[in-house]
Amino acid sequence: LELKLYSSKPGASIMMEPDPEFIMVMEEIIRKNNIRSVFESGTYLGTGSTETLAKLFVENNKKPEKFITVETNLDYFIKAKKNLAKYNFIKPVFGLSVDYLEAVKFLVNDRVFENLDKYEEIYIDHLSNPQHYYLKEIMIGVVQEGLEKSTQKKNISFFSSGKKETIEFKNNVLSDFCCDLYHESSLIVLDSAAGIGFYEFNQVNQLMYNREYYLVLDDIEHLKHFRSREYIETHSEEYNIISQSKEAGWLIAKSHRKKNVN
């Protein structure tokens, strides 16, 4: 098995590092377009792609009406919320972009894990039982929410106000985001849990069908999005690749499906 561990990749980071070329391309897109809605999966601490994009919107005086960023790890979410507090147009959400049970089903049944030896150039996070580790990644938020509620219940005394904010795990956030869209220009950034990256991309394809939007993928040389990248590269009737960097691991595309005419 010749798969490469992601940790061995030069410049490997859990955070999407600000790349000068990425910033230049995104700056032009934001400057030339009126992007009103932004969705990002995989906030981490909010100091990577989230803040990079936030600064570009502010610098170009084009704050979007809606900017949702989703993080499935409660500890990361709490830190990200503090880090992003200065950007009042960003709404961090603790939850999962896609449906939790469907994501688990996809991961358990994904045939790619039976044929990993075919993908010598693809990076992966765990060589031993990767499905197990990726399941833990998407399950962590649900587990943490349960622990948080249990701890709060124990800590409520007779004299406490009981007004402490409860943090609820939001499921299927991407679907809600897409349902609320009308005809505005949108940006979708996918950088969440590695095991369900391709499922998440497929959900965007379905939910945004016949809509025009900009799409950013992070980790295109990784198990997360190598199939998403291949789909975009082989479906020129659906996507136009604006720019990509295999070294830095990102891809920017625009969907150009024709909108339905009633």
Side-chain angles (χ1 to χ4, degrees):
L1 188 66
E2 296 295 328
L3 277 166
K4 298 178 288 187
L5 270 175
Y6 183 66
S7 57
S8 69
K9 181 185 179 185
S13 172
I14 192 171
M15 178 177 76
M16 188 177 181
E17 296 288 346
D19 177 63
E21 188 184 348
F22 175 82
I23 292 171
M24 183 184 71
V25 175
M26 285 308 307
E27 199 276 337
E28 186 176 8
I29 289 170
I30 288 169
R31 182 167 47 84
K32 290 184 175 179
N33 296 276
N34 191 29
I35 294 172
R36 306 313 308 150
S37 299
V38 181
F39 180 90
E40 178 189 51
S41 65
T43 319
Y44 186 39
L45 303 179
T47 52
S49 54
T50 322
E51 186 158 41
T52 297
L53 292 170
K55 285 179 178 176
L56 290 175
F57 279 113
V58 171
E59 287 165 5
N60 285 277
N61 196 27
K62 288 198 167 185
K63 293 181 187 176
E65 293 169 5
K66 180 165 59 176
F67 190 137
I68 291 172
T69 179
V70 185
E71 176 53 53
T72 194
N73 182 304
L74 181 59
D75 297 329
Y76 295 161
F77 165 77
I78 291 169
K79 290 173 183 172
K81 198 171 181 183
K82 288 179 182 174
N83 292 335
L84 296 169
K86 56 192 167 188
Y87 302 107
N88 60 3
F89 57 94
I90 296 180
K91 181 184 178 183
V93 175
F94 169 51
L96 195 64
S97 58
V98 293
D99 180 75
Y100 172 71
L101 293 176
E102 291 299 319
V104 170
K105 194 187 299 182
F106 170 83
L107 190 47
V108 169
N109 294 305
D110 191 355
R111 300 290 292 275
V112 76
F113 293 102
E114 298 171 17
N115 303 289
L116 287 174
D117 55 328
K118 290 182 181 179
Y119 308 106
E120 295 182 6
E121 296 304 309
I122 298 303
Y123 288 96
I124 196 166
D125 299 292
H126 314 279
L127 293 180
S128 175
N129 199 358
Q131 276 169 300
H132 170 75
Y133 287 100
Y134 291 139
L135 273 170
K136 281 172 69 175
E137 276 188 12
I138 60 173
M139 289 171 67
I140 189 170
V142 176
V143 173
Q144 286 173 322
E145 182 196 36
L147 291 172
E148 179 82 2
K149 286 181 177 176
S150 175
T151 304
Q152 285 185 11
K153 206 170 182 180
K154 286 179 185 174
N155 290 340
I156 294 176
S157 69
F158 180 76
F159 298 102
S160 71
S161 65
K163 288 182 180 177
K164 185 181 175 185
E165 181 190 5
T166 54
I167 303 173
E168 290 189 9
F169 184 88
K170 304 287 186 186
N171 190 43
N172 214 4
V173 184
L174 175 65
S175 178
D176 292 339
F177 172 86
C178 294
C179 285
D180 288 341
L181 294 179
Y182 295 97
H183 299 294
E184 69 265 32
S185 190
S186 307
L187 169 64
I188 295 178
V189 183
L190 301 183
D191 184 23
S192 64
I196 60 165
F198 188 49
Y199 176 70
E200 190 179 53
F201 169 75
N202 285 329
Q203 287 299 106
V204 170
N205 251 348
Q206 290 177 29
L207 292 165
M208 296 294 285
Y209 183 73
N210 266 357
R211 291 178 178 174
E212 291 184 1
Y213 57 95
Y214 289 93
L215 177 68
V216 174
L217 301 179
D218 188 32
D219 293 330
I220 56 173
E221 298 297 294
H222 188 286
L223 178 73
K224 183 190 294 186
H225 277 311
F226 82 94
R227 288 175 288 180
S228 311
R229 183 200 75 222
E230 287 175 352
Y231 184 95
I232 289 173
E233 288 177 342
T234 55
H235 288 74
S236 58
E237 75 282 5
E238 293 182 28
Y239 288 100
N240 172 42
I241 296 176
I242 297 170
S243 186
Q244 67 175 310
S245 169
K246 292 190 176 181
E247 285 183 11
W250 53 264
L251 180 149
I252 302 170
K254 184 183 182 185
S255 87
H256 52 79
R257 301 183 179 98
K258 292 180 180 177
K259 294 176 182 175
N260 285 326
V261 178
N262 293 325

